[in-house]
Amino acid sequence: MAQVIEVTPQFRLAGDLGIRRLGFGAMRLPTKGFHGPPRDPDVGRAVLRRAVELGVDHIDTAAFYRSADGTVRANALIRDALHPYRPGLVIATKVGPVFGPDGPRQLPARDLRAAVEDNLRTLGLDRLDLVYLRIGKMEVPHGESIAERFEALAALREAGLIRHLGLSNVDLAQLDEASAIAPVVAVQNSFYIANRDDAALLDACAARGIAFAPFFPLGGSGADLDDARVAKVAARHAATPPQIALAWLLAISPVTLAIPGTGSLAHLEANIAAGSIALTDEDLAELAAAAPMVPSRR
Ligand SMILES: NC(=O)c1ccc[n+]([C@@H]2O[C@H](COP(=O)([O-])OP(=O)(O)OC[C@H]3O[C@@H](n4cnc5c(N)ncnc54)[C@H](OP(=O)(O)O)[C@@H]3O)[C@@H](O)[C@H]2O)c1
């Protein structure tokens, strides 16, 4: 008889802020891709309001989430739709990259204060609950020291501009380097049912009580989950492959947070409904065999 996997719906960031493990990623609100044509801001605001109505209390954003023409920006949508913010709503943001005509480049430590202040201003906040230092381009920049930049963010935390710090696109050595400077409460790397390269990093986070909130929880498109075993489990639960990908993420570890990105009300509803899918040990065994479905990212 298959056993249902018990999934705790909540996580305490740093043992402090209680949030639901199924949250929302804001990157897809301004544009469908990355820096593409603008999406309708009215729809973006409606998606945000509905997300909160459905119980979302963790929104992941960045000041650099915007349409290519700069007319639609995630932080402005969040502020317009949800400010004044409901108590308990955690808005996580990230600083590090800036995007120019030659692609992304990293801000030096001395410029991180301005990036944090930009997020405070555009979100309409006095203090940011969670700020990730995002490093590298798409690949994790192994061997790169993050000490100087993380020290700059730790100083802003000491100054009261930031409550908690996280890291994005890092490896274990960088997590260790940062943890020696200030507490790291969350890690955000690319990870999903078909890309488990960072399984050991997830385990390290779990052992330390650090949240692991992967980007691309749906593979970055929602359509990249074409696998017969995922389809079989989805059919068993009358669900879709993206819903199974989210249920899987929540079931594999107590520290995973799901932040699926969408600019679609229908997809939002489907993603939140995935939180009620009770996977079994049999499902997980089948899904364990389903990876990797796409080439490893490194
Ligand atoms: N730290 C980083 O470097 C980094 C990088 C990327 C993203 N992020 C964060 O992580 C969040 C999640 O990543 P992501 O948004 O890039 O990718 P994702 O959540 O893996 O996938 C989003 C894509 O899937 C589609 N989708 C969403 N729900 C769906 C559903 N139920 N059925 C079918 N398709 C669905 C979306 O299209 P529609 O919009 O049309 O629904 C969108 O194209 C982002 O929103 C952002 O907050 C962080």
Side-chain angles (χ1 to χ4, degrees):
M1 175 83 177
Q3 299 289 313
V4 168
I5 307 295
E6 289 294 331
V7 170
T8 313
Q10 285 219 322
F11 182 83
R12 283 203 169 273
L13 271 180
D16 169 10
L17 298 172
I19 51 170
R20 293 197 188 186
R21 292 178 56 212
L22 185 46
F24 177 81
M27 192 177 94
R28 306 289 171 161
L29 294 172
T31 175
K32 174 103 182 144
F34 189 70
H35 288 186
R39 276 179 145 176
D40 183 346
D42 286 337
V43 175
R45 287 185 282 265
V47 167
L48 284 161
R49 290 193 192 101
R50 183 71 182 135
V52 169
E53 260 173 38
L54 290 171
V56 165
D57 58 9
H58 170 213
I59 297 177
D60 183 81
T61 187
F64 47 79
Y65 290 167
R66 57 174 175 82
S67 57
D69 62 7
T71 56
V72 185
R73 292 171 180 264
N75 282 4
L77 293 176
I78 291 168
R79 184 180 181 156
D80 290 353
L82 303 177
H83 197 279
Y85 301 115
R86 207 191 54 183
L89 177 67
V90 170
I91 301 178
T93 189
K94 54 199 80 74
V95 294
V98 279
F99 297 86
D102 303 329
R105 70 174 173 84
Q106 288 294 314
L107 288 172
R110 65 177 176 277
D111 290 345
L112 291 176
R113 183 180 188 110
V116 165
E117 286 173 349
D118 186 30
N119 278 280
L120 286 167
R121 184 179 52 77
T122 51
L123 289 166
L125 287 167
D126 297 327
R127 183 170 66 156
L128 299 165
D129 281 330
L130 172 58
V131 176
Y132 293 90
L133 175 64
R134 206 296 189 186
I135 65 165
K137 295 186 178 178
M138 281 317 292
E139 305 293 313
V140 173
H142 302 292
E144 183 175 306
S145 172
I146 58 174
E148 207 186 329
R149 283 169 287 169
F150 202 71
E151 277 164 6
L153 289 185
L156 297 176
R157 176 174 164 272
E158 288 297 315
L161 276 63
I162 298 171
R163 188 162 179 173
H164 293 302
L165 295 172
L167 292 173
S168 180
N169 212 33
V170 295
D171 61 20
L172 188 54
Q174 287 152 341
L175 174 58
D176 286 341
E177 185 185 31
S179 300
I181 295 166
V184 176
V185 310
V187 167
Q188 185 173 120
N189 276 29
S190 174
F191 185 86
Y192 64 107
I193 196 166
N195 169 18
R196 308 179 195 183
D197 290 356
D198 278 332
L201 184 63
L202 164 59
D203 288 345
C205 288
R208 301 174 191 190
I210 295 173
F212 189 80
F215 65 86
F216 298 152
L218 301 174
S221 79
D224 195 13
L225 304 167
D226 186 17
D227 177 271
R229 285 155 296 206
V230 178
K232 190 172 160 200
V233 173
R236 203 146 60 214
H237 290 273
T240 63
Q243 288 179 309
I244 296 302
L246 295 176
W248 171 84
L249 192 59
L250 297 177
I252 56 164
S253 168
V255 304
T256 46
L257 306 180
I259 48 165
T262 183
S264 147
L265 277 167
H267 285 164
L268 170 72
E269 301 268 351
N271 294 345
I272 298 301
S276 306
I277 296 172
L279 294 179
T280 64
D281 53 0
E282 196 180 294
D283 295 327
L284 281 195
E286 276 184 60
L287 294 171
M293 291 177 284
V294 293
S296 165
R297 285 173 187 272
R298 55 167 208 254

